[in-house]
Amino acid sequence: MRNWVVILLLAVLFHSCGISMGDRIDNGNLSVYFLEGINKEKAINFAKYWKNNGFVGERQQVIQLEKENKRVVVKLIERELYHNDPITINEEAMLQELERTLKTEIFHQDVEIMITDNTFRPIIKR
């Protein structure tokens, strides 16, 4: 319940500040926002891939897709629990493999996975 309140408050805050989170598609516990440069079909394909490959758990997950410099940026919100832990070599290898898979199977262009806070601002960890 607390997560829904936080997500709702963030959405209201972004809307009131004029900062667009983008268009949104929902798939169960997953909400995918997509900004200009990412079409709805790609966002839907991403959401299906994300869900079908076990990346969605029991908690609500919010992801934003954005195109920057001919690259798709997948912005993942990091939970506070892990906020201070650096990414291990194995985690970095898994992220790079996921970026390659998303490039070949969904977006057909370079992909960067960015770990962000709950306002989609990057957390420098990679």
Side-chain angles (χ1 to χ4, degrees), residues 18 37 59 78 112:
R59 298 176 70 168
E78 182 182 49
E112 175 187 357

Side-chain angles (χ1 to χ4, degrees), residues 4-110:
W4 284 103
V5 173
V6 171
I7 291 170
L8 180 62
L9 289 175
L10 283 174
V12 169
L13 177 67
F14 283 141
H15 183 68
S16 65
C17 293
I19 300 171
S20 173
M21 290 179 63
D23 293 322
R24 183 181 83 197
I25 58 168
D26 293 307
N27 189 347
N29 290 1
L30 177 63
S31 293
V32 177
Y33 289 87
F34 54 103
L35 298 174
E36 190 173 323
I38 305 293
N39 64 40
K40 187 173 185 175
E41 180 183 341
K42 294 285 184 186
I44 290 170
N45 290 339
F46 170 83
K48 286 178 184 177
Y49 174 87
W50 204 253
K51 189 163 188 163
N52 292 340
N53 286 281
F55 294 113
V56 180
E58 293 181 13
R59 298 176 70 168
Q60 178 69 21
Q61 187 175 18
V62 180
I63 297 174
Q64 187 179 59
L65 304 175
E66 182 176 12
K67 190 167 184 180
E68 288 181 2
N69 302 324
K70 299 181 182 180
R71 163 181 291 192
V72 174
V73 179
V74 178
K75 295 182 179 181
L76 304 175
I77 297 175
E78 182 182 49
R79 292 193 330 208
E80 288 182 36
L81 180 63
Y82 304 110
H83 200 73
N84 295 323
D85 297 338
I87 292 178
T88 66
I89 292 172
N90 288 338
E91 291 169 333
E92 179 64 29
M94 287 188 287
L95 287 173
Q96 289 176 1
E97 177 63 28
L98 181 57
E99 288 171 340
R100 286 188 293 272
T101 301
L102 290 172
K103 175 184 178 178
T104 58
E105 293 187 23
I106 306 296
F107 297 109
H108 309 292
Q109 58 188 297
D110 287 337

Side-chain angles (χ1 to χ4, degrees), residues 76 78 82-87 92 95 112-117 120-126:
L76 304 175
E78 182 182 49
Y82 304 110
H83 200 73
N84 295 323
D85 297 338
I87 292 178
E92 179 64 29
L95 287 173
E112 175 187 357
I113 296 175
M114 183 181 293
I115 310 300
T116 69
D117 64 13
F120 294 117
R121 284 182 291 177
I123 299 172
I124 309 292
K125 293 181 99 177
R126 294 184 69 192

